[in-house]
Amino acid sequence: MWPFDYLKKKREKEEQERRRQEEDARIQKLEKERIAKEREMRLEENRKKEAQRQERLKAEREQVSSLTPFSFKSNCHQRYENGYPKMGLQECIRTVSVEKNTNGCKGYKLEPGIGYIVKVFNDDLGKPNMSDKPMKVVRKTDNSVELRGFPIEALSPFGWQMVDYSDYGFIVYYEHGKVSKCVLHMYDRNTFIEYRYTDKSPLKSISTNSYVTECEQLAQLAEDSANRGNTSKSHQYGLKVYDSIIRNPTQIERISDIQSVAMSLGRLMEGNYFSDNDSIKKAVGLSYYLISKAIANGDKNPYLYAYRFSITWEYNKVFYHLFAHSENTDLDANPFSIFGQSMIMAYDHHLQGMQMADMLTEPRIARLDPALGNIFNDIFSRYSSTPKQQIISIGNQYHKQILDYLKSKIQKTDFDF
C-alpha cells in the first residue's frame, strides 16, 4: 500500500500547489485590475483638473485682454510733446470711443474678433479726427487699460501695404468705474494727447465758521468728487485748495488731515492748470511738500507715491532749480554752459534715484499708472546691477534734501521756491 499512499499524497500536494498558484494568479490579476482602475481614475481626475485649469487660465486671459466698449465725450484736450504741453488747452468737443472688433475694420486686412477699434471723432467738423486704429489690450490695472497698435496690412494709394501701428498707444483711465480721461500716445514722436472732460457746474461753498481749515474742507470736496468719478470737479476743488493755501499759508501748520490735502493737490497736478513759471514752481513745490510730508508721516496710500513720481517726472526742470537752491546756488540753464549742463545731468540722476526709490518702495504705482511703470522700466534698466536697497536709500536722501529745503521756506511763508 505504501507506493499508492505516496503517489496519492504527491498528487494531493501537487493539486494544492496548483490551486495555490491559481489563487495567487487570481489575486495578482485582481490587484493589477485594481491598480489599473485606480491609475485610470487618477488620470481622469488629473485630466479634469487640467481642463478646469485651462478653462480658468482662458477666462483669466480673456479678462486681462478684455475691455468694455465705451464712448467718452471730451470737451477739452491737451497736446504734449517731449513731456511739455503745446498749443494750450483746446476747448472743443471730441468723441473718443473704443469698439470691439466684430466685423473687421475698413481699410485694414483685419479678421473679426481680433482686438478693438480706437476712434477719435471731431464733433466740431462732423468727421473723424484720425483714421480708426486697430489695437489690442496689452495691460490692465485696477484703474486703467492700455492698448497698443500692431503690424497690419492697410490700404494705401499704392495698394495693400504692411504698416506697423505699434507706435500708437491708447490708455484709458478710470475713476471708480467711470472713464475719467483717455490718452492717445504717438511713441515714435514722443507725443501724446490727453482727452478730458471739464464739469462746468457751480462749485459748492464751504463753512467759514468751521474749526477745520479752509483747505481741508475744499480737499474733502475734491475727494468726494473723485469718489463719484468726477475727475474734472476734483481738479477744480484741488485748484481751490491751492489758491486757499497761497492766500492763507499759515493754515498749513493747522492741517490735521494731511492726506486729503496732499491727494487733492496730487490730482490737480495731473492737469495743466498753470501757465506761468512762477505759478508752476509754487504748485510743484507745494504739492511735492505736502505729498512727501504725508509719506514721511507713515501714510502708505500708493496714490501718494504715484503722484510724487509723476510730479518729479513731468516737472523735472522745476526740480533742477529746487536742487540748486537747496545747495545755496543758482542753476545756469544756458545750454552752452558746461558747468550748467553738468549740474543738470547730476540733478537728473538725483531725480531718477527718487523715482526709482518710490517705485521700488511702492510697486503698485505701475498698476495705478502704466505710463509710470514704463518710465520706471526704462530708468531701472540702466541701474539694474545696483542693489535695490541702495537705490531706495540714495533716492530717499534726495527726497529728504528737497523736503527739508521746502520745509524751511514754507515755515517762513516764503513760496519763492
Side-chain angles (χ1 to χ4, degrees):
M1 297 292 294
W2 176 81
F4 298 105
D5 290 340
Y6 171 76
L7 292 173
K8 182 179 178 182
K9 289 180 179 180
K10 183 179 179 181
R11 284 195 297 270
E12 290 176 351
K13 188 175 182 180
E14 289 175 348
E15 180 64 19
Q16 290 174 354
E17 179 64 22
R18 184 185 65 76
R19 289 177 179 176
R20 186 187 65 78
Q21 290 177 354
E22 287 180 351
E23 181 64 17
D24 288 345
R26 187 183 68 82
I27 292 172
Q28 288 179 6
K29 181 181 179 182
L30 291 174
E31 182 65 15
K32 288 180 180 179
E33 290 176 351
R34 184 188 66 79
I35 292 173
K37 186 177 181 180
E38 288 183 354
R39 180 174 178 273
E40 184 60 32
M41 289 175 64
R42 285 196 300 270
L43 290 173
E44 181 61 24
E45 184 178 357
N46 289 338
R47 281 193 289 267
K48 287 181 180 179
K49 287 182 178 180
E50 179 62 20
Q52 292 172 353
R53 190 180 76 87
Q54 292 297 333
E55 285 294 321
R56 187 172 63 255
L57 289 174
K58 181 182 178 181
E60 290 175 356
R61 283 194 296 267
E62 289 177 351
Q63 176 65 22
V64 168
S65 62
S66 68
L67 168 65
T68 301
F70 69 88
S71 179
F72 176 69
K73 188 75 74 173
S74 166
N75 60 5
C76 61
H77 62 271
Q78 176 67 59
R79 183 184 183 91
Y80 293 83
E81 295 178 6
N82 299 315
Y84 298 100
K86 297 291 183 180
M87 298 184 289
L89 185 67
Q90 305 296 302
E91 296 190 13
C92 46
I93 306 298
R94 299 288 184 269
T95 301
V96 183
S97 61
V98 175
E99 300 177 358
K100 193 171 181 62
N101 171 25
T102 54
N103 298 306
C105 186
K106 185 178 180 181
Y108 301 96
K109 287 187 177 180
L110 180 67
E111 292 293 326
I114 298 177
Y116 297 83
I117 312 300
V118 175
K119 301 183 177 185
V120 180
F121 189 81
N122 188 324
D123 293 71
D124 298 331
L125 300 178
K127 64 179 183 179
N129 211 53
M130 72 169 189
S131 62
D132 296 350
K133 295 291 186 292
M135 295 189 185
K136 296 177 182 178
V137 173
V138 295
R139 185 186 300 183
K140 193 173 182 180
T141 70
D142 297 336
N143 62 348
S144 65
V145 177
E146 181 178 4
L147 299 96
R148 197 74 177 256
F150 51 90
I152 188 173
E153 282 191 82
L155 186 60
S156 74
F158 308 100
W160 291 101
Q161 292 188 344
M162 181 64 71
V163 293
D164 187 0
Y165 277 154
S166 58
D167 287 330
Y168 284 90
F170 191 75
I171 303 180
V172 186
Y173 291 92
Y174 298 88
E175 285 276 1
H176 296 273
K178 295 181 180 179
V179 177
S180 59
K181 69 175 179 179
C182 300
V183 183
L184 175 67
H185 285 270
M186 291 154 277
Y187 295 107
D188 57 332
R189 287 172 271 178
N190 199 15
T191 297
F192 63 90
I193 303 174
E194 282 190 357
Y195 293 95
R196 315 168 190 160
Y197 174 77
T198 299
D199 186 342
K200 297 182 180 181
S201 61
L203 297 176
K204 294 181 180 179
S205 58
I206 61 172
S207 173
T208 56
N209 299 320
S210 174
Y211 65 90
V212 180
T213 62
E214 182 182 72
C215 66
E216 286 178 272
Q217 294 182 65
L218 292 166
Q220 186 56 58
L221 291 172
E223 182 73 20
D224 293 343
S225 298
N227 290 339
R228 293 194 302 271
N230 193 335
T231 303
S232 170
K233 265 294 178 281
S234 180
H235 286 177
Q236 292 175 53
Y237 282 119
L239 187 58
K240 288 284 188 181
V241 172
Y242 168 79
D243 290 338
S244 172
I245 294 174
I246 294 297
R247 188 175 61 254
N248 180 16
T250 59
Q251 64 182 313
I252 291 180
E253 297 303 320
R254 295 185 287 113
I255 295 174
S256 58
D257 186 3
I258 189 72
Q259 186 201 82
S260 66
V261 178
M263 289 286 289
S264 68
L265 293 177
R267 293 190 199 93
L268 172 67
M269 298 309 292
E270 290 181 319
N272 183 35
Y273 294 96
F274 305 97
S275 55
D276 62 286
N277 289 333
D278 184 56
S279 296
I280 291 173
K281 289 177 182 178
K282 287 180 180 179
V284 169
L286 187 59
S287 301
Y288 176 87
Y289 170 74
L290 289 169
I291 290 171
S292 296
K293 188 175 180 180
I295 291 174
N297 288 347
D299 199 313
K300 300 299 183 183
N301 189 324
Y303 281 98
L304 291 172
Y305 287 90
Y307 290 141
R308 187 164 75 167
F309 188 124
S310 179
I311 290 172
T312 58
W313 171 259
E314 292 186 22
Y315 299 96
N316 59 331
K317 289 186 177 181
V318 174
F319 281 90
Y320 296 158
H321 289 277
L322 289 176
F323 271 116
H325 294 165
S326 70
E327 297 169 356
N328 296 315
T329 186
D330 288 321
L331 179 68
D332 184 358
N334 187 337
F336 301 104
S337 169
I338 297 176
F339 179 69
Q341 291 304 303
S342 65
M343 290 176 67
I344 289 175
M345 289 179 62
Y347 295 153
D348 204 47
H349 283 297
H350 295 356
L351 283 173
Q352 290 174 5
M354 294 159 68
Q355 292 153 5
M356 287 190 292
D358 281 346
M359 182 68 78
L360 292 172
T361 301
E362 183 46 84
R364 285 179 291 179
I365 292 175
R367 288 192 57 79
L368 297 175
D369 192 333
L372 296 182
N374 294 336
I375 291 169
F376 168 78
N377 291 334
D378 180 57
I379 298 173
F380 187 65
S381 63
R382 307 171 215 159
Y383 300 91
S384 56
S385 60
T386 306
K388 292 182 179 179
Q389 286 303 317
Q390 183 178 342
I391 293 175
I392 293 173
S393 176
I394 294 173
N396 286 339
Q397 288 177 24
Y398 293 132
H399 274 305
K400 186 177 184 302
Q401 178 179 337
I402 298 297
L403 181 59
D404 288 346
Y405 167 72
L406 292 172
K407 181 179 180 181
S408 67
K409 297 284 285 186
I410 290 173
Q411 285 178 339
K412 301 172 186 174
T413 64
D414 179 6
F415 290 167
D416 184 16
F417 302 134

